[in-house]
Amino acid sequence: MTGMASTIWLPLFALFYGAVMLYWVRVSMIASSSGDGFFSAGHALSPWISALVIAGASMTGWFVLGGSQQIAEQGFQMPVLIVGGVLLALPGTLFFKRLWFVAERMRVSSQAEIFRVYYQSAFLVVVSVAVALLFALGFAGLQIRAIASFIDLLTGGTVSRLSASVVLGFILFAGAGIGGMRAIGLFGVIQTVLAFAGIIALSGFALIWSGGFAALNAGLLELSTNDASAGLFTVNGVIHFTSGLGRGGELADANTALANLSFAFALMGFQASPLIIKLVLSTGSPNGIAAGQTWVTAGFFGAVIAFCIALTGAAGLVDRDLALGGLFSALQTGSPWFAAWIFIGIAAGVQLLAGLALFVAGEGLIRHIYRPYFHSRLSKQGAVTLTRIAIAVLAVLAMLMENLTPVTLSALAALALPMAFQLWTPLLGVTWLPWITRPAAVTGVGFGIAGVLLTEPLGYQVLSFFGLELPWGRWPWTIHSALWGMAANVAAVLIISAITNRSALGPEAREIRQLFSGLLATSGKAQGLRSTAWSVTLAWFFLAVGPGLIFGNGAFVATGESGPVWLLGMPSLWAWSLAAWISGLGLIWFLSYKMEMASPVHVAIPPYEPPLRLKKDKSAEEQERLRILILTGAVGFALTVLIAFSFGG
Amino acid sequence: MSKAAMVERDLLVFSIWAVLGFGGLALLLEGFSRDSYMISLAGTLTIVAGFVAHIVVNGVFDCGFRPGEAALGIAAFGALALAFIGGWAVGGLSPTDYWSGLTLFSVLAVGLPAYLSTRYGLRGAFSRFHVRHADDGKPAA
């Protein structure tokens, strides 16, 4: 095939994709021109649209890039990845329904606003926005960088990574910045469908080129009998008391059950992040949450992960030429139309996440920080314009970081999921655990963030810069930073909730509590199943992602005359994880429907009427606040330079 | 049909063609490239599945093809036919390519009256083309 013939397809498909995106941006702008649809799509996204887009944003692009790559490099040491569909769906099952009703009652549309209304805490608002920024700059930025590298590869260097990331930045701004939340929601459906089609097609090629399922597993079996690579197929013990990566601990040794469990917690941070909650609160009705979380996220997309992504990774494990980069190269040479279609699908999945992250971060900066604390007289139209500018600035910043500071980008990306997981405690306080007090939630999140920072490269490198060398590295004791942070978080929440006044709630928080104990009270039947739910959930966690994974090492292996035999024709841990996925799907169904955590409710929720308060001019106070912020920033910068100059460098 | 319903219907149509249309096209091209009738046939069947899904969506939302969709479909059919005839004229088609192309066009050609007859009935389908001027209410000359 000539060079021209093989390279024409990617630009051609990309052109189609861009045209379709602009069409939906236009549709969204027309629909939003009559009201305030820019920030929350007029709270009118259909439940099926939200269910699909939540599932798409939760796993498509980043799972195929990161998940298959991880399996290709580290084998089945982290089987928790294979049950990703269930783990990603679990937080949504717990939180989405109740958060939607809180937002409906209080007429708010984002996680930061819920924290402001319930806890009246500026700190939690800032943390929520910071998490969105981490996703926009780090998490999504890293994936855009990977996508730009693939464009470089597929075009044979004709389009460099820098040019590709600039173009992708423009596309992101056009989608999220101009069209707003409605464009993200509507076009997100097409992106999700394209992404899952791309993932399935890619795994099909991986399977064909591996010689079929039996040949692929024969290759895996051969690897497992080799002493050097046998460790790729086992979870090695419950815990290793290492000092962490970079301090004597090796990545190859970080394959314990606790490494899996703590990584599962990190994955569970995604649907607690402000990104996904923004999608939920832009939905017109909560009645699709149960079906979406159970059948779309845990069921269908869970299957795509358990089979397709695992298969793509396994093909790369057996043959390095079939790792993601090699697969795309081979496709580009033999079937450039398929390469273009599949690549556009995966890029669409990444764009969905990146666009959503940029939008939520931009909105957070302007609508949740700048407007309420520094410029309360800013008009709605002014807020839209400033948010667009913020999104553009963030897109440029992300693009610069992708090309100039990949190490920092990677360090920021690593923080996104564990930091989002720290938001579980305030979210539990709003939805299920009324005894979590405001000081407890705030301190807990503060401690959680400290726990994460101290066990991730960014934290210990910043401390090292100031001359303080921590004795541990990344993920000490093979425990992911998400769990270290949560341990500190939960400890602080329990202690402080015990010693602070639990009835000191604001009027809005009291209103929310009344809503949950009245209209939305759990039925007696579901309450009767509470102990069953706890038992089943804990048992599932123990066996599917916790210490029980040790049983998975040998559950489906027999000893034959010529060596080990895989009873199901696949690695034992893969088969164990498939069983965990199926039982996990049952768990999500049970929690969603039987425990009524996400089940449909048909009640009308009138808007909350806040007590009338005298409006006062806050401009002087806001100017003073801005002055203090600038002064604090300047003093902080000077102190930083001084300390770094004195002790670090 | 309400505006919101129309948006949802359009979303479904775009999604169907993003997957089945482009996937089918890729399979067709793969078939031509590998000189494999079976792969081309899979591509043709995928495109037919796209049409069927589109018609099902139309049925659910109780509407027909929009003028823009019909125009795009006819233009795509024309472009494909032109490419096929061009390939045949310059002798660039292998026997497999030739039969693959004929299969695609036959299926599409049969598909149009089949669709019209299922939507409007056999007589109604004929009336979509045969406009009777007497129906205008004017007396026949």
Side-chain angles (χ1 to χ4, degrees):
Chain A
M1 192 166 299
T2 63
M4 171 71 181
S6 68
T7 52
I8 191 76
W9 295 98
L10 185 61
L12 199 67
F13 277 43
L15 207 65
F16 266 111
Y17 177 79
V20 172
M21 185 193 79
L22 289 177
Y23 170 80
W24 284 102
V25 167
R26 183 175 165 270
V27 168
S28 306
M29 281 194 70
I30 291 168
S32 301
S33 61
S34 54
D36 65 336
F38 182 79
F39 287 118
S40 53
H43 300 277
L45 289 180
S46 287
W48 73 268
I49 291 179
S50 285
L52 208 56
V53 178
I54 286 169
S58 295
M59 65 184 67
T60 50
W62 60 282
F63 237 97
V64 74
L65 290 174
S68 60
Q69 201 72 7
Q70 176 136 359
I71 294 172
E73 284 167 9
Q74 294 173 36
F76 293 87
Q77 298 179 85
M78 296 291 278
V80 69
L81 270 172
I82 300 172
V83 287
V86 175
L87 292 166
L88 285 164
L90 200 65
T93 305
L94 236 67
F95 296 133
F96 287 173
K97 179 177 158 186
R98 290 199 160 203
L99 288 179
W100 187 90
F101 278 105
V102 169
E104 182 72 359
R105 181 84 175 112
M106 296 294 152
R107 292 296 190 260
V108 294
S109 66
S110 62
Q111 187 189 56
E113 283 178 309
I114 288 181
F115 286 158
R116 195 173 60 226
V117 164
Y118 188 86
Y119 292 111
Q120 295 167 353
S121 161
F123 175 73
L124 288 177
V125 170
V126 171
V127 170
S128 174
V129 175
V131 169
L133 276 168
L134 282 175
F135 272 100
L137 295 178
F139 197 73
L142 201 63
Q143 290 165 51
I144 295 285
R145 184 181 152 83
I147 290 291
S149 301
F150 279 127
I151 293 177
D152 189 339
L153 178 83
L154 290 176
T155 57
T158 311
V159 181
S160 68
R161 196 178 63 206
L162 176 68
S163 323
S165 63
V166 171
V167 172
L168 288 169
F170 273 113
I171 290 176
L172 277 174
F173 174 72
I178 300 174
M181 193 59 213
R182 200 185 300 269
I184 292 169
L186 297 181
F187 189 52
V189 171
I190 299 167
Q191 288 171 317
T192 302
V193 171
L194 261 176
F196 96 73
I199 293 170
I200 293 172
L202 189 67
S203 67
F205 276 102
L207 189 63
I208 292 166
W209 286 337
S210 300
F213 194 69
L216 174 68
N217 279 290
L220 291 173
L221 183 62
E222 199 181 318
L223 272 179
S224 76
T225 52
N226 185 339
D227 285 344
S229 51
L232 296 172
F233 297 87
T234 53
V235 170
N236 188 8
V238 176
I239 186 168
H240 289 167
F241 293 101
T242 65
S243 300
L245 307 182
R247 292 281 191 277
E250 294 298 327
L251 192 63
D253 297 328
N255 56 348
T256 63
L258 263 179
N260 275 278
L261 182 67
S262 52
F263 185 61
F265 288 140
L267 288 179
M268 283 162 58
F270 193 77
Q271 286 203 346
S273 72
L275 278 61
I276 298 298
I277 288 171
K278 181 76 203 171
L279 271 170
V280 174
L281 304 187
S282 301
T283 311
S285 153
N287 292 338
I289 292 173
Q293 294 301 102
T294 309
W295 306 118
V296 184
T297 304
F300 184 73
F301 284 87
V304 168
I305 291 176
F307 291 103
C308 299
I309 290 180
L311 214 147
T312 310
L317 183 65
V318 172
D319 180 357
R320 300 301 306 162
D321 290 339
L322 293 181
L324 216 50
L327 260 179
F328 272 119
S329 284
L331 267 174
Q332 180 64 13
T333 311
S335 312
W337 34 83
F338 268 117
W341 181 56
I342 292 170
F343 176 76
I344 291 289
I346 291 167
V350 170
Q351 196 208 340
L352 168 61
L353 173 67
L356 180 64
L358 277 177
F359 179 80
V360 176
E363 184 203 18
L365 285 173
I366 302 303
R367 241 181 114 212
H368 304 321
I369 293 183
Y370 179 66
R371 194 181 185 191
Y373 298 113
F374 300 104
H375 194 176
S376 56
R377 284 180 301 171
L378 185 69
S379 67
K380 195 175 273 181
Q381 192 51 45
V384 171
T385 308
L386 275 183
T387 302
R388 283 184 171 140
I389 292 169
I391 292 170
V393 170
L394 287 174
V396 170
L397 194 59
M399 188 267 291
L400 288 174
M401 287 180 72
E402 284 154 25
N403 291 289
L404 301 177
T405 60
V407 176
T408 312
L409 191 75
S410 171
L412 286 176
L415 289 177
L417 285 175
M419 291 280 244
F421 184 56
Q422 304 313 312
L423 296 174
W424 263 65
T425 44
L427 287 173
L428 280 170
V430 174
T431 50
W432 295 100
L433 306 175
W435 50 263
I436 294 181
T437 61
R438 175 184 180 275
V442 171
T443 319
V445 169
F447 271 65
I449 290 172
V452 170
L453 284 175
L454 291 176
T455 48
E456 281 288 350
L458 190 84
Y460 64 72
Q461 275 169 9
V462 167
L463 287 178
S464 171
F465 183 74
F466 289 122
L468 182 64
E469 293 294 336
L470 291 176
W472 60 79
R474 189 182 194 191
W475 308 344
W477 293 2
T478 65
I479 295 174
H480 194 283
S481 57
L483 186 53
W484 282 113
M486 189 47 78
N489 190 336
V490 168
V493 165
L494 289 176
I495 293 168
I496 296 172
S497 287
I499 58 174
T500 47
N501 183 3
R502 292 182 201 173
S503 53
L505 295 169
E508 285 86 1
R510 265 197 294 274
E511 188 64 34
I512 291 166
R513 298 264 62 90
Q514 275 174 14
L515 180 72
F516 291 148
S517 57
L519 266 178
L520 296 173
T522 314
S523 73
K525 200 175 160 191
Q527 280 185 354
L529 288 169
R530 199 173 277 182
S531 52
T532 312
W534 273 109
S535 312
V536 170
T537 307
L538 290 175
W540 187 83
F541 264 87
F542 180 82
L543 291 169
V545 294
L549 281 172
I550 304 292
F551 303 132
N553 284 337
F556 302 105
V557 184
T559 311
E561 286 175 6
S562 56
V565 177
W566 287 344
L567 297 174
L568 296 177
M570 56 167 57
S572 181
L573 273 173
W574 192 359
W576 184 267
S577 302
L578 287 178
W581 163 64
I582 293 168
S583 54
L585 180 58
L587 174 70
I588 297 288
W589 171 81
F590 178 70
L591 294 177
S592 295
Y593 291 96
K594 293 293 162 189
M595 292 304 295
E596 300 172 8
M597 285 181 162
S599 57
V601 179
H602 299 278
V603 289
I605 304 287
Y608 169 67
E609 297 288 345
L612 289 175
R613 291 177 185 128
L614 205 60
K615 278 191 178 173
K616 59 175 183 178
D617 185 12
K618 293 183 186 168
S619 51
E621 192 184 330
E622 285 165 0
Q623 276 187 351
E624 179 62 15
R625 200 175 280 150
L626 193 61
R627 203 174 64 83
I628 291 170
L629 183 76
I630 292 169
L631 271 176
T632 313
V635 171
F637 180 73
L639 277 174
T640 305
V641 171
L642 197 65
I643 295 171
F645 188 68
S646 308
F647 303 105
Chain B
M1 188 166 39
S2 72
K3 212 176 226 178
M6 205 179 331
V7 166
E8 289 184 19
R9 179 238 175 232
D10 288 353
L11 264 183
L12 286 169
V13 168
F14 270 86
S15 303
I16 286 165
W17 287 109
V19 174
L20 296 176
F22 281 97
L25 178 68
L27 276 169
L28 260 181
L29 291 167
E30 190 74 16
F32 281 119
S33 157
R34 291 178 190 270
D35 218 20
S36 162
Y37 181 75
M38 292 315 288
I39 297 178
S40 297
L41 187 65
T44 303
L45 291 177
T46 309
I47 291 171
V48 170
F51 270 111
V52 171
H54 193 151
I55 291 165
V56 168
V57 167
N58 282 350
V60 169
F61 287 87
D62 196 22
C63 64
F65 288 100
R66 288 167 66 166
E69 290 166 4
L72 189 66
I74 291 167
F77 184 86
L80 277 174
L82 207 64
F84 181 69
I85 292 166
W88 172 75
V90 298
L93 294 182
S94 69
T96 312
D97 293 343
Y98 181 73
W99 286 111
S100 299
L102 274 188
T103 307
L104 174 70
F105 292 116
S106 316
V107 168
L108 293 180
V110 171
L112 180 68
Y115 160 69
L116 289 174
S117 59
T118 52
R119 179 161 169 76
Y120 301 105
L122 275 176
R123 217 180 127 165
F126 179 69
S127 305
R128 303 296 294 177
F129 298 99
H130 178 242
V131 182
R132 288 177 298 170
H133 295 286
D135 288 351
D136 295 346
K138 294 174 190 167

